[in-house]
Amino acid sequence: MSLSAAEPALISDLINLMESETAEQDDAGASRTRIAKAMAKAIRKFVEAGQVKVIVNTTGTATAQTGTGTGNIT
């Protein structure tokens, strides 16, 4: 999926995190730790949703090829 398609899920995850943390009565340090862990998980999920499109240019024979690839994340 493209990152633009995954963005609503990231926003939803972050809003859910903020809403769940609002009701917590723990100390600030515990809250910051939970927020940091949940944000890291949401960001990782978002980044892993991105598609990598690569164009590979090769040289050589059918059995011995070398080449490099260039591309972008969408």
Side-chain angles (χ1 to χ4, degrees):
M1 133 181 6
S2 70
L3 291 180
S4 58
E7 187 175 352
L10 174 62
I11 292 169
S12 178
D13 287 347
L14 294 175
I15 289 171
N16 291 338
L17 158 66
M18 291 178 218
E19 288 174 349
S20 69
E21 202 59 35
T22 300
E24 289 296 328
Q25 298 294 321
D26 273 344
D27 65 76
S31 179
R32 282 190 295 271
T33 299
R34 282 192 304 273
I35 289 169
K37 287 179 180 180
M39 286 180 73
K41 183 178 178 181
I43 292 167
R44 180 183 180 124
K45 184 172 122 182
F46 172 71
V47 170
E48 288 177 348
Q51 295 177 334
V52 178
K53 296 183 180 186
V54 179
I55 298 171
V56 178
N57 298 312
T58 60
T59 58
T61 66
T63 58
Q65 293 187 3
T66 61
T68 59
T70 59
N72 55 9
I73 297 174
T74 61

Coordinates of all heavy atoms in Angstrom, one line a residue:
M1 N 0.9 -1.2 0.0 CA 0.0 0.0 0.0 C 0.9 1.2 0.0 O 2.0 1.2 0.5 CB -0.9 -0.1 1.2 CG -1.1 1.1 2.1 SD -2.1 1.0 3.5 CE -2.7 -0.6 3.7
S2 N 0.4 2.3 -0.6 CA 1.2 3.5 -0.6 C 1.2 4.2 0.8 O 0.2 4.0 1.6 CB 0.7 4.5 -1.6 OG -0.6 5.0 -1.3
L3 N 2.1 5.0 1.1 CA 2.1 5.7 2.3 C 1.0 6.7 2.4 O 0.4 6.9 3.5 CB 3.5 6.5 2.5 CG 4.7 5.6 2.8 CD1 5.9 6.5 2.9 CD2 4.5 4.7 3.9
S4 N 0.5 7.3 1.3 CA -0.6 8.2 1.4 C -1.9 7.4 1.7 O -2.8 7.9 2.4 CB -0.8 8.9 0.1 OG -1.0 8.0 -1.0
A5 N -2.0 6.1 1.3 CA -3.1 5.3 1.7 C -3.0 4.8 3.1 O -4.0 4.6 3.8 CB -3.2 4.1 0.7
A6 N -1.8 4.7 3.6 CA -1.6 4.2 5.0 C -1.7 5.4 6.0 O -1.9 5.1 7.2 CB -0.2 3.6 5.2
E7 N -1.7 6.6 5.6 CA -1.7 7.8 6.5 C -3.0 7.8 7.4 O -2.9 8.1 8.6 CB -1.6 9.1 5.7 CG -1.5 10.3 6.6 CD -1.2 11.5 5.8 OE1 -1.0 11.5 4.6 OE2 -1.2 12.6 6.5
P8 N -4.2 7.5 6.9 CA -5.4 7.5 7.8 C -5.2 6.5 8.9 O -5.7 6.8 10.0 CB -6.5 7.2 6.8 CG -6.1 7.6 5.5 CD -4.6 7.3 5.5
A9 N -4.6 5.4 8.7 CA -4.4 4.4 9.7 C -3.4 4.9 10.8 O -3.6 4.7 12.0 CB -3.9 3.1 9.2
L10 N -2.4 5.6 10.3 CA -1.4 6.2 11.3 C -2.1 7.3 12.1 O -2.0 7.3 13.4 CB -0.3 6.9 10.5 CG 0.7 7.6 11.4 CD1 1.4 6.7 12.4 CD2 1.8 8.3 10.5
I11 N -2.9 8.1 11.5 CA -3.7 9.2 12.3 C -4.6 8.5 13.3 O -4.7 8.9 14.4 CB -4.4 10.1 11.3 CG1 -3.4 10.9 10.5 CG2 -5.4 11.0 12.0 CD1 -4.0 11.6 9.3
S12 N -5.3 7.5 12.8 CA -6.2 6.8 13.7 C -5.5 6.2 14.9 O -5.9 6.3 16.1 CB -7.0 5.7 13.0 OG -7.8 5.0 13.8
D13 N -4.3 5.5 14.7 CA -3.5 4.9 15.7 C -3.1 6.0 16.7 O -3.1 5.8 17.9 CB -2.3 4.2 15.2 CG -2.7 2.9 14.5 OD1 -3.8 2.4 14.6 OD2 -1.8 2.3 13.8
L14 N -2.7 7.1 16.2 CA -2.2 8.2 17.1 C -3.3 8.8 17.9 O -3.2 9.1 19.1 CB -1.5 9.3 16.3 CG -0.1 8.8 15.7 CD1 0.4 9.9 14.8 CD2 0.9 8.4 16.7
I15 N -4.5 9.0 17.3 CA -5.6 9.5 18.0 C -6.1 8.5 19.1 O -6.3 8.9 20.3 CB -6.8 9.8 17.1 CG1 -6.5 11.0 16.3 CG2 -8.1 10.0 17.8 CD1 -7.4 11.3 15.1
N16 N -6.1 7.2 18.8 CA -6.5 6.2 19.8 C -5.5 6.2 20.9 O -5.9 6.1 22.1 CB -6.5 4.8 19.1 CG -7.7 4.6 18.2 OD1 -8.7 5.4 18.3 ND2 -7.6 3.7 17.3
L17 N -4.2 6.4 20.7 CA -3.2 6.4 21.7 C -3.5 7.6 22.6 O -3.5 7.5 23.8 CB -1.8 6.6 21.1 CG -0.7 7.2 21.9 CD1 -0.3 6.3 23.0 CD2 0.5 7.5 21.0
M18 N -3.7 8.8 22.0 CA -4.0 10.0 22.8 C -5.2 9.8 23.7 O -5.2 10.2 24.9 CB -4.1 11.2 22.0 CG -2.8 11.6 21.3 SD -3.0 13.0 20.2 CE -1.9 12.6 18.9
E19 N -6.3 9.3 23.1 CA -7.5 9.1 23.9 C -7.3 8.1 25.0 O -7.8 8.3 26.1 CB -8.6 8.6 22.9 CG -9.1 9.8 22.0 CD -10.1 9.3 21.0 OE1 -10.3 8.1 20.8 OE2 -10.7 10.2 20.3
S20 N -6.6 7.0 24.8 CA -6.4 6.0 25.8 C -5.5 6.6 26.9 O -5.8 6.3 28.1 CB -5.8 4.7 25.3 OG -4.5 4.9 24.8
E21 N -4.6 7.4 26.6 CA -3.7 8.0 27.6 C -4.3 9.1 28.4 O -4.0 9.3 29.6 CB -2.4 8.5 26.9 CG -1.2 8.6 27.8 CD -0.8 7.2 28.5 OE1 -0.9 6.2 27.8 OE2 -0.4 7.3 29.6
T22 N -5.3 9.7 27.9 CA -6.0 10.8 28.6 C -6.7 10.3 29.9 O -6.7 11.0 30.9 CB -7.1 11.4 27.7 OG1 -6.5 11.9 26.5 CG2 -7.9 12.5 28.4
A23 N -7.1 9.1 29.9 CA -7.8 8.5 31.0 C -6.9 7.9 32.1 O -7.3 7.6 33.2 CB -8.8 7.5 30.6
E24 N -5.6 7.8 31.8 CA -4.7 7.2 32.7 C -4.4 8.1 33.9 O -4.3 9.3 33.8 CB -3.4 6.9 32.0 CG -3.5 5.8 31.0 CD -3.8 4.4 31.6 OE1 -3.4 4.2 32.8 OE2 -4.5 3.7 31.0
Q25 N -4.2 7.5 35.0 CA -3.9 8.2 36.3 C -2.5 8.0 36.7 O -2.1 8.4 37.8 CB -4.9 7.7 37.3 CG -6.3 8.0 37.0 CD -6.6 9.5 37.0 OE1 -6.1 10.3 37.8 NE2 -7.4 9.9 36.0
D26 N -1.7 7.3 36.0 CA -0.3 7.0 36.3 C 0.6 8.3 36.4 O 0.1 9.3 36.0 CB 0.4 6.0 35.3 CG 0.1 4.6 35.7 OD1 -0.3 4.3 36.8 OD2 0.3 3.8 34.8
D27 N 1.8 8.1 36.9 CA 2.7 9.2 36.9 C 3.1 9.6 35.5 O 3.0 8.8 34.5 CB 3.9 8.9 37.8 CG 4.8 7.8 37.2 OD1 5.5 8.1 36.2 OD2 4.7 6.7 37.7
A28 N 3.6 10.8 35.3 CA 4.0 11.3 34.0 C 5.1 10.5 33.3 O 5.0 10.3 32.1 CB 4.5 12.8 34.1
G29 N 6.0 10.0 34.1 CA 7.1 9.2 33.5 C 6.6 7.9 32.8 O 7.0 7.5 31.7
A30 N 5.7 7.2 33.5 CA 5.1 6.0 33.0 C 4.2 6.3 31.7 O 4.2 5.6 30.7 CB 4.2 5.3 34.0
S31 N 3.6 7.4 31.8 CA 2.8 7.9 30.6 C 3.6 8.2 29.4 O 3.3 7.7 28.3 CB 2.0 9.1 31.0 OG 1.2 9.6 29.9
R32 N 4.7 8.9 29.6 CA 5.7 9.2 28.5 C 6.2 7.9 27.9 O 6.3 7.8 26.6 CB 6.8 10.0 29.0 CG 6.4 11.5 29.1 CD 7.6 12.4 29.3 NE 8.3 12.1 30.6 CZ 8.0 12.7 31.8 NH1 7.0 13.6 31.8 NH2 8.7 12.3 32.9
T33 N 6.5 6.9 28.7 CA 7.0 5.6 28.2 C 6.0 4.9 27.4 O 6.3 4.4 26.3 CB 7.5 4.7 29.4 OG1 8.5 5.4 30.1 CG2 8.0 3.4 28.9
R34 N 4.8 4.8 27.8 CA 3.7 4.2 27.1 C 3.5 4.9 25.7 O 3.3 4.3 24.7 CB 2.4 4.2 27.9 CG 2.3 3.1 28.9 CD 0.9 2.9 29.4 NE 0.4 4.2 30.0 CZ 0.5 4.6 31.2 NH1 1.3 3.9 32.1 NH2 0.0 5.7 31.6
I35 N 3.5 6.2 25.8 CA 3.2 7.0 24.6 C 4.4 6.8 23.6 O 4.1 6.6 22.4 CB 3.1 8.5 24.9 CG1 1.8 8.8 25.6 CG2 3.2 9.4 23.7 CD1 1.7 10.2 26.2
A36 N 5.6 6.8 24.0 CA 6.7 6.6 23.1 C 6.7 5.2 22.5 O 6.9 5.1 21.3 CB 8.0 6.8 23.9
K37 N 6.4 4.2 23.3 CA 6.3 2.8 22.7 C 5.2 2.7 21.7 O 5.3 2.1 20.6 CB 6.1 1.8 23.8 CG 7.4 1.6 24.7 CD 7.1 0.6 25.8 CE 8.4 0.4 26.6 NZ 8.2 -0.6 27.7
A38 N 4.0 3.3 22.0 CA 2.9 3.2 21.1 C 3.1 4.0 19.8 O 2.7 3.6 18.7 CB 1.6 3.7 21.8
M39 N 3.7 5.2 20.0 CA 4.1 6.0 18.8 C 5.1 5.2 17.9 O 4.9 5.2 16.7 CB 4.6 7.3 19.2 CG 3.5 8.3 19.7 SD 4.2 9.9 20.1 CE 4.5 10.6 18.5
A40 N 6.1 4.6 18.5 CA 7.1 3.9 17.7 C 6.4 2.7 17.0 O 6.7 2.5 15.8 CB 8.2 3.4 18.6
K41 N 5.5 2.0 17.6 CA 4.8 0.9 17.0 C 3.9 1.5 15.8 O 3.9 0.9 14.7 CB 3.9 0.2 18.0 CG 3.2 -1.0 17.4 CD 2.3 -1.6 18.5 CE 1.6 -2.8 18.0 NZ 0.8 -3.5 19.0
A42 N 3.2 2.6 16.0 CA 2.4 3.1 14.9 C 3.2 3.6 13.7 O 2.9 3.4 12.6 CB 1.5 4.3 15.5
I43 N 4.3 4.3 14.0 CA 5.2 4.8 13.0 C 5.8 3.6 12.2 O 5.9 3.6 11.0 CB 6.3 5.7 13.5 CG1 5.6 7.0 14.1 CG2 7.4 6.0 12.5 CD1 6.5 7.8 14.9
R44 N 6.3 2.6 12.9 CA 6.8 1.4 12.2 C 5.8 0.8 11.3 O 6.1 0.4 10.2 CB 7.3 0.4 13.3 CG 7.9 -0.9 12.6 CD 8.3 -1.9 13.7 NE 8.9 -3.0 13.0 CZ 10.1 -3.5 13.2 NH1 10.8 -3.0 14.1 NH2 10.5 -4.5 12.6
K45 N 4.6 0.6 11.8 CA 3.5 0.0 11.0 C 3.3 0.9 9.7 O 3.1 0.4 8.6 CB 2.2 0.0 11.8 CG 1.0 -0.7 11.2 CD -0.1 -0.9 12.2 CE -1.3 -0.2 11.7 NZ -2.4 -0.3 12.7
F46 N 3.3 2.2 9.9 CA 3.1 3.1 8.8 C 4.3 3.0 7.7 O 4.0 2.8 6.5 CB 3.1 4.6 9.3 CG 3.1 5.6 8.2 CD1 2.0 5.8 7.4 CD2 4.2 6.4 8.0 CE1 2.0 6.8 6.4 CE2 4.2 7.4 7.1 CZ 3.1 7.6 6.3
V47 N 5.5 3.0 8.2 CA 6.6 2.9 7.3 C 6.6 1.5 6.6 O 6.9 1.5 5.4 CB 8.0 3.1 8.1 CG1 9.2 2.8 7.2 CG2 8.0 4.6 8.5
E48 N 6.3 0.5 7.3 CA 6.3 -0.8 6.7 C 5.2 -1.0 5.7 O 5.2 -1.9 4.8 CB 6.2 -1.9 7.7 CG 7.5 -2.1 8.5 CD 7.5 -3.1 9.6 OE1 6.3 -3.6 10.0 OE2 8.5 -3.4 10.2
A49 N 4.2 -0.1 5.7 CA 3.1 -0.2 4.7 C 3.5 0.4 3.4 O 2.8 0.1 2.4 CB 1.9 0.6 5.3
G50 N 4.6 1.1 3.3 CA 5.0 1.7 2.1 C 5.5 0.7 1.1 O 6.0 -0.3 1.4
Q51 N 5.3 1.0 -0.2 CA 5.7 0.2 -1.3 C 7.0 0.8 -1.8 O 7.2 2.0 -2.0 CB 4.7 0.2 -2.4 CG 3.4 -0.4 -2.1 CD 2.4 -0.4 -3.2 OE1 2.5 0.5 -4.1 NE2 1.5 -1.3 -3.2
V52 N 8.0 -0.1 -2.1 CA 9.2 0.3 -2.7 C 9.2 -0.2 -4.2 O 9.0 -1.4 -4.5 CB 10.4 -0.4 -2.0 CG1 11.7 0.0 -2.7 CG2 10.4 0.0 -0.6
K53 N 9.3 0.8 -5.1 CA 9.3 0.5 -6.5 C 10.7 0.7 -7.0 O 11.3 1.7 -6.8 CB 8.4 1.4 -7.2 CG 6.9 1.2 -6.8 CD 6.0 2.1 -7.6 CE 4.6 1.8 -7.2 NZ 3.6 2.5 -8.0
V54 N 11.3 -0.4 -7.6 CA 12.7 -0.4 -8.0 C 12.8 -0.7 -9.5 O 12.1 -1.6 -10.0 CB 13.5 -1.4 -7.2 CG1 14.9 -1.4 -7.6 CG2 13.4 -1.0 -5.7
I55 N 13.7 0.0 -10.2 CA 14.0 -0.3 -11.5 C 15.5 -0.9 -11.5 O 16.4 -0.2 -10.9 CB 14.0 0.9 -12.4 CG1 12.6 1.4 -12.5 CG2 14.5 0.6 -13.8 CD1 12.5 2.8 -13.2
V56 N 15.6 -2.1 -12.0 CA 17.0 -2.7 -11.9 C 17.5 -2.8 -13.3 O 16.9 -3.3 -14.3 CB 16.9 -4.1 -11.3 CG1 18.2 -4.8 -11.3 CG2 16.3 -4.1 -9.9
N57 N 18.7 -2.3 -13.5 CA 19.5 -2.4 -14.8 C 20.6 -3.4 -14.6 O 21.4 -3.3 -13.7 CB 20.1 -1.0 -15.1 CG 19.0 0.0 -15.3 OD1 18.0 -0.2 -16.0 ND2 19.2 1.2 -14.6
T58 N 20.5 -4.4 -15.5 CA 21.5 -5.5 -15.4 C 22.4 -5.6 -16.6 O 22.0 -5.2 -17.7 CB 20.8 -6.9 -15.1 OG1 20.0 -7.1 -16.2 CG2 20.1 -6.8 -13.8
T59 N 23.5 -6.2 -16.4 CA 24.4 -6.5 -17.6 C 24.9 -7.9 -17.4 O 24.9 -8.4 -16.2 CB 25.6 -5.5 -17.7 OG1 26.3 -5.6 -16.5 CG2 25.1 -4.1 -17.9
G60 N 25.3 -8.6 -18.4 CA 25.8 -9.9 -18.3 C 25.0 -10.9 -19.1 O 24.2 -10.5 -20.0
T61 N 25.2 -12.1 -18.8 CA 24.5 -13.2 -19.5 C 23.3 -13.7 -18.6 O 23.1 -13.3 -17.5 CB 25.5 -14.4 -19.7 OG1 25.8 -15.0 -18.4 CG2 26.8 -14.0 -20.4
A62 N 22.6 -14.6 -19.2 CA 21.4 -15.2 -18.5 C 21.8 -15.9 -17.2 O 21.0 -15.9 -16.2 CB 20.7 -16.1 -19.4
T63 N 23.0 -16.4 -17.1 CA 23.4 -17.1 -15.8 C 24.3 -16.2 -14.9 O 24.6 -16.6 -13.8 CB 24.1 -18.4 -16.2 OG1 25.3 -18.1 -17.0 CG2 23.2 -19.3 -16.9
A64 N 24.9 -15.1 -15.4 CA 25.8 -14.3 -14.6 C 25.5 -12.9 -14.8 O 26.0 -12.2 -15.7 CB 27.2 -14.7 -15.0
Q65 N 24.6 -12.3 -14.0 CA 24.2 -10.9 -14.1 C 24.7 -10.1 -12.9 O 24.8 -10.6 -11.8 CB 22.7 -10.8 -14.2 CG 22.1 -11.4 -15.5 CD 20.7 -11.1 -15.6 OE1 20.1 -10.4 -14.8 NE2 20.1 -11.7 -16.7
T66 N 25.0 -8.9 -13.2 CA 25.3 -7.9 -12.2 C 24.4 -6.6 -12.5 O 24.0 -6.4 -13.6 CB 26.7 -7.5 -12.2 OG1 27.1 -6.9 -13.4 CG2 27.6 -8.7 -11.9
G67 N 24.2 -5.9 -11.5 CA 23.4 -4.7 -11.8 C 23.1 -3.9 -10.5 O 23.5 -4.3 -9.4
T68 N 22.5 -2.8 -10.7 CA 22.1 -1.9 -9.5 C 20.6 -1.5 -9.7 O 20.1 -1.6 -10.8 CB 23.0 -0.6 -9.5 OG1 22.8 0.1 -10.7 CG2 24.4 -1.0 -9.3
G69 N 20.0 -1.2 -8.6 CA 18.7 -0.7 -8.6 C 18.5 0.6 -8.0 O 19.2 1.0 -7.1
T70 N 17.6 1.4 -8.6 CA 17.2 2.7 -8.0 C 15.7 2.7 -7.9 O 15.0 2.1 -8.7 CB 17.7 3.8 -8.9 OG1 17.1 3.7 -10.2 CG2 19.2 3.9 -9.0
G71 N 15.2 3.4 -6.9 CA 13.7 3.5 -6.8 C 13.3 4.5 -5.8 O 14.1 5.3 -5.3
N72 N 12.0 4.4 -5.4 CA 11.5 5.3 -4.4 C 10.4 4.6 -3.6 O 9.9 3.5 -4.0 CB 10.9 6.5 -5.0 CG 9.9 6.2 -6.1 OD1 9.5 5.1 -6.3 ND2 9.5 7.2 -6.8
I73 N 10.1 5.1 -2.4 CA 9.0 4.6 -1.6 C 7.8 5.5 -1.9 O 7.9 6.7 -1.9 CB 9.4 4.7 -0.1 CG1 10.6 3.8 0.2 CG2 8.3 4.3 0.8 CD1 11.2 3.9 1.6
T74 N 6.7 4.8 -2.1 CA 5.5 5.6 -2.3 C 4.5 5.4 -1.2 O 4.7 4.5 -0.4 CB 4.8 5.1 -3.6 OG1 4.5 3.7 -3.5 CG2 5.6 5.4 -4.8

